[in-house]
């Protein structure tokens, strides 16, 4: 006999034959299997090889010792609150975000969704609940069938391509209104509330702010939003790119994380006291962020291209400084009422895994609270980054720092950190196996 909840789910999936059962891999890419709706509703166990969670961005895998020499199975267990009909699909289809659990039932140490849930649980054990919001930037380009050629913006209604003078414009000249209308419709169908939307500084670059809430929910929403962006763009003959830096001499794309912490019983923001002043907990949280950012840079900036964004520091700060409302600081305290006092981590790019970036940022803040760490002095205006607050500036340097980090292993587990390093090292090696056009153009005649 089915329960009301099961009947409700069956009704929601009426007419659907297949369900995409996905879980985020190391890079935040949805991986999984397609299951029949019949099998899904019957609760059949869906299994997937453990190694898939460490799949490189190019498609390969590190040695099997990093995910179990037998490469045994994990169980994909759907989150009941994250089962959706896909509003952009021409055929009735559904998607379920799943946890990746060991067959014995516990969360896999390789699962970034599981890592985030574990960090949240540590807050809950202290009677606290973290609250986050994400700001995701992305580019909308014309279809690009030749990866050796630069991306180009779509042709606008005037027959021209945008030239980079449209920041904060609300004009429809770019011809993207039909695309964004479908994006908004799909967001509503998926239950993705949006706050603000704008044209960003880059050529055909946009930003959307998702409403603040539970960190796991926001990570799920960010994953779904990136997925729907790409799918809807394909329908409109375009390409959405969430690289950190897809265009030269153009601002990159970030995924800033806004963070606050509330008491579970009262809902009070523990960053502000009864008089509206910053609390010791607020400063401890910042101290933890500063103490961990260098160790965790490879988690926030996971790709070679991530550091292309960070090498031009304005609005993409590669530092662990903190400041009141200064966008040159890696940790910015936005102007707000005391009830909304929060810490904005500006290091992550749009290419980051939202589960991992949020988990790492919240884990850093909690570490500071538990250890009662004090931050360095706040900075304002133009400033030089002190050496002890500078961060790795290449993927190689970031991975070397992560290798030496005992703290990262304590907070995320040896299996996860070593598997992450192994996978990212393969990606870095693959990058160095290619010679870029710059090298051929500049060095061939001179070297």
């Amino acid at each position: 006999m089915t329960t009301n909840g099961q009947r409700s789910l069956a009704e929601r999936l009426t007419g659907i034959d297949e369900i995409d059962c996905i879980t985020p891999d190391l890079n935040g890419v949805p991986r999984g299997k397609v299951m029949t709706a019949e099998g899904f509703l019957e609760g059949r166990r869906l299994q997937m090889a453990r190694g898939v969670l460490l799949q490189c961005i190019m498609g390969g895998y590190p040695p099997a010792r990093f995910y179990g020499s037998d490469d045994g199975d994990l169980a994909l267990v759907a989150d009941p609150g994250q089962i959706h009909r896909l509003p952009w699909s021409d055929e009735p289809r559904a998607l379920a975000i799943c946890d990746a659990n060991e067959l014995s039932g516990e969360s896999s140490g390789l699962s970034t969704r599981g890592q985030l849930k574990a960090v949240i649980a540590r807050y809950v054990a202290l009677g606290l609940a973290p609250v986050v919001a994400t700001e995701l930037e992305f580019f909308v380009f014309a279809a690009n069938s030749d990866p050796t050629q630069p991306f180009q913006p779509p042709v606008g209604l005037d027959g021209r391509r945008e030239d980079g003078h449209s920041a904060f414009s609300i004009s429809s000249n770019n011809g993207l209104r039909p695309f964004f209308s479908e994006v908004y419709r799909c967001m509503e169908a998926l239950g993705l509330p949006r706050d603000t939307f704008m044209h960003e500084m880059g050529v055909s670059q946009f930003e959307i702010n998702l409403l603040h809430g539970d960190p796991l929910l926001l990570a799920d929403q960010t994953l779904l939003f990136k997925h729907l962006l790409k799918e809807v763009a394909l329908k409109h003959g375009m390409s959405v790119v969430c690289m950190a830096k897809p265009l030269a001499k153009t601002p990159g794309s970030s995924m800033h994380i806004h963070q606050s912490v509330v008491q579970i019983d009262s809902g009070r923001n523990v960053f502000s006291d009864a008089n509206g002043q910053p609390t010791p907990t607020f400063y401890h949280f910042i101290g933890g962020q500063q103490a961990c950012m260098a160790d965790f840079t490879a988690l926030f900036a996971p790709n070679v291209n991530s550091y292309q964004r960070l090498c031009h520091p304005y609005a993409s700060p590669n530092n662990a400084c903190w400041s009141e409302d200064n966008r040159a600081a890696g940790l910015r305290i936005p102007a707000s009422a005391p009830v909304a006092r929060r810490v904005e981590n500006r290091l992550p790019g749009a290419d980051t895994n939202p589960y991992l970036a949020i988990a790492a940022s919240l884990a850093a803040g909690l570490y500071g609270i538990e250890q009662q760490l004090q931050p360095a002095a706040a900075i304002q205006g133009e400033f030089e980054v002190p050496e002890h607050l500078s961060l790795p500036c290449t993927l190689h340097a970031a991975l070397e720092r992560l290798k030496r980090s005992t703290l990262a292993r304590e907070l995320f587990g040896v299996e996860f950190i070593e598997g992450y390093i192994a996978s990212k090292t393969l990606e870095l090696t693959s990058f160095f196996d290619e010679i870029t056009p710059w090298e051929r153009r500049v060095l061939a005649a001179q070297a």
Side-chain angles (χ1 to χ4, degrees):
M1 183 176 183
T2 60
T3 66
N4 288 336
Q6 288 171 324
R7 283 199 299 271
S8 175
L9 178 58
E11 291 169 359
R12 287 162 52 199
L13 298 180
T14 298
I16 288 177
D17 293 326
E18 293 183 330
I19 299 174
D20 301 335
C21 298
I22 64 164
T23 196
D25 72 0
L26 198 72
N27 289 291
V29 176
R31 306 286 186 189
K33 294 184 177 181
V34 178
M35 193 176 199
T36 65
E38 178 185 13
F40 187 86
L41 291 170
E42 289 178 357
R44 296 177 193 166
R45 187 161 76 176
L46 184 63
Q47 297 177 198
M48 182 181 74
R50 295 182 91 249
V52 173
L53 294 184
L54 291 185
Q55 186 170 345
C56 296
I57 207 73
M58 315 90 61
Y61 300 87
R65 67 178 181 276
F66 290 103
Y67 45 88
S69 296
D70 295 330
D71 192 15
D73 278 350
L74 296 169
L76 297 184
V77 181
D79 184 326
Q82 293 295 346
I83 302 170
H84 307 277
R85 296 180 74 103
L86 295 181
W88 59 79
S89 178
D90 293 331
E91 299 177 357
R93 197 171 187 85
L95 176 147
I97 297 179
C98 302
D99 284 313
N101 295 339
E102 303 293 348
L103 299 185
S104 53
E106 71 272 14
S107 178
S108 169
L110 298 178
S111 167
T112 54
R113 194 171 195 266
Q115 290 284 353
L116 177 55
K117 292 175 76 171
V119 172
I120 296 170
R122 290 176 52 208
Y123 276 89
V124 171
L126 299 177
L128 302 173
V131 178
V132 305
T134 57
E135 301 177 5
L136 186 71
E137 296 172 345
F138 57 93
F139 285 82
V140 181
F141 292 132
N144 180 272
S145 60
D146 184 355
T148 66
Q149 298 301 311
F151 293 111
Q152 290 187 312
V155 175
L157 297 181
D158 61 0
R160 301 179 180 179
R161 300 184 192 273
E162 183 186 319
D163 58 7
H165 299 144
S166 299
F168 300 97
S169 169
I170 57 172
S171 169
S172 59
N173 185 52
N174 56 27
L176 298 179
R177 292 281 179 171
F179 164 72
F180 280 113
S181 293
E182 184 165 2
V183 167
Y184 298 154
R185 178 182 64 80
C186 291
M187 290 183 71
E188 183 177 4
L190 292 174
L192 303 182
R194 55 189 171 93
D195 187 8
T196 58
F197 171 82
M198 67 180 186
H199 192 303
E200 255 293 351
M201 300 293 291
V203 179
S204 199
Q205 183 189 34
F206 301 87
E207 176 188 280
I208 193 160
N209 296 351
L210 299 178
L211 285 175
H212 64 275
D214 171 75
L216 183 64
L217 175 63
L218 263 294
D220 285 339
Q221 290 179 344
T222 304
L223 177 78
L224 282 172
F225 179 66
K226 291 173 75 171
H227 187 50
L228 83 83
L229 274 178
K230 291 180 176 292
E231 293 292 322
V232 173
L234 291 175
K235 289 183 63 177
H236 288 258
M238 296 182 295
S239 173
V240 163
V241 174
C242 292
M243 287 171 62
K245 183 83 166 182
L247 293 178
K249 302 178 182 179
T250 298
S253 290
S254 68
M255 191 197 77
H256 299 158
I257 304 172
H258 292 252
Q259 312 157 94
S260 58
V261 181
V262 301
Q263 288 183 332
I264 293 176
D265 55 357
S266 67
R268 181 181 68 85
N269 185 344
V270 301
F271 288 171
S272 298
D273 64 19
N275 298 318
Q277 297 302 306
T279 62
T281 300
F282 171 71
Y283 293 112
H284 296 331
F285 188 94
I286 296 173
Q289 301 262 291
Q290 289 189 318
C292 296
M293 283 186 79
D295 281 15
F296 294 175
T297 296
L299 308 180
F300 295 129
N303 301 303
V304 172
N305 182 255
S306 306
Y307 300 85
Q308 295 279 61
R309 164 181 166 260
L310 296 173
C311 70
H312 297 290
Y314 179 72
S316 298
N318 188 25
N319 64 70
C321 300
W322 77 280
S323 177
E324 299 278 352
D325 202 21
N326 186 337
R327 285 180 168 80
L331 299 167
R332 171 177 173 255
I333 312 305
S336 67
V339 69
R341 180 171 277 116
R342 60 195 186 274
V343 178
E344 179 188 8
N345 183 347
R346 297 174 60 78
L347 183 61
D351 58 340
T352 192
N353 177 336
Y355 299 90
L356 183 54
I358 294 172
S361 202
L362 291 178
L366 183 58
Y367 175 73
I369 293 173
E370 292 174 333
Q371 301 298 318
Q372 298 189 347
L373 301 180
Q374 292 297 328
I379 53 91
Q380 296 299 147
E382 294 185 14
F383 63 92
E384 293 290 333
V385 178
E387 185 175 352
H388 70 285
L389 294 177
S390 63
L391 303 178
C393 58
T394 67
L395 180 58
H396 178 267
L399 290 175
E400 288 300 311
R401 181 65 184 252
L402 187 59
K403 286 179 184 178
R404 300 193 301 268
S405 176
T406 57
L407 181 60
R409 286 169 171 78
E410 290 174 5
L411 295 180
F412 298 104
V414 172
E415 180 187 36
F416 179 82
I417 294 300
E418 292 190 351
Y420 186 90
I421 292 170
S423 182
K424 288 297 166 183
T425 299
L426 278 181
E427 294 176 9
L428 184 60
T429 300
S430 176
F431 173 79
F432 283 127
D433 280 342
E434 296 195 15
I435 305 303
T436 66
W438 185 93
E439 292 167 280
R440 290 192 295 271
R441 185 177 72 252
V442 175
L443 301 179
Q446 305 297 331

